[in-house]
Amino acid sequence: MEPYLNKKYVLVSSKHFEDYLTYIGVGYFAKKIALNLKPVQCLTLNEDGTHTFDFVSPITSSSVTFKSGEEFDEVKPDGVKVKSTITLDGNKMTHIQVEGNGRISKHVREFFHDKLIVTTTAPGLDKTVIREFKLME
């Protein structure tokens, strides 16, 4: 994962993201705002061996610090509290979020030298969400 650390990736395209927002219960106005954001994502390695993943936009930002493979409590940008596990393997970061109601979302971030592809799936969601981020110069 080292070649992709400390690099910022900005959203350039989304497919089926609105369907996912509807699936997780985001309201109409919040959904419209979310669809127009161009968030930046960045992964860093901390001195203690943990990683921090930042999601930054003009409206909302979030940051999680984690140890690969260990469950932790997370508050998503929409305010929902979840139990999360992030696993790093090669150029992939798999982020699983479990809500209190049992709903599960899986976000696989695949890092490349010039882009980041995020694929989101969830049981009960009949579409696969694909969001592409490009490396910021």
Side-chain angles (χ1 to χ4, degrees):
M1 191 58 72
E2 189 165 329
Y4 313 108
L5 296 175
N6 305 311
K7 296 191 176 176
K8 294 181 179 182
Y9 299 86
V10 63
L11 180 69
V12 293
S13 69
S14 288
K15 181 179 178 182
H16 303 302
F17 187 56
E18 184 171 8
D19 297 302
Y20 176 70
L21 294 175
T22 300
Y23 169 79
I24 62 172
V26 174
Y28 177 80
F29 291 110
K31 189 182 334 178
K32 292 304 174 191
I33 291 169
L35 291 170
N36 288 302
L37 294 177
K38 298 292 182 205
V40 174
Q41 298 189 5
C42 181
L43 179 66
T44 57
L45 175 63
N46 304 309
E47 288 183 16
D48 65 359
T50 62
H51 287 83
T52 298
F53 179 70
D54 294 307
F55 173 95
V56 180
S57 76
I59 303 290
T60 185
S61 298
S62 68
S63 180
V64 295
T65 298
F66 64 95
K67 199 168 218 179
S68 182
E70 292 186 8
E71 186 178 76
F72 62 94
D73 293 323
E74 178 183 4
V75 179
K76 299 188 318 178
D78 61 2
V80 175
K81 294 178 182 177
V82 295
K83 293 286 187 183
S84 293
T85 304
I86 297 176
T87 305
L88 302 175
D89 184 21
N91 70 326
K92 290 185 181 178
M93 179 175 129
T94 302
H95 187 171
I96 298 176
Q97 299 170 314
V98 181
E99 296 180 31
N101 63 9
R103 184 170 40 213
I104 300 170
S105 294
K106 180 179 179 182
H107 314 278
V108 178
R109 291 174 175 87
E110 194 167 2
F111 293 84
F112 299 94
H113 74 281
D114 61 343
K115 64 184 173 182
L116 166 63
I117 304 292
V118 183
T119 304
T120 299
T121 56
L125 177 65
D126 62 352
K127 296 178 180 163
T128 298
V129 179
I130 300 173
R131 303 182 86 199
E132 184 173 338
F133 294 72
K134 73 173 183 175
L135 180 64
M136 294 176 70
E137 300 296 326

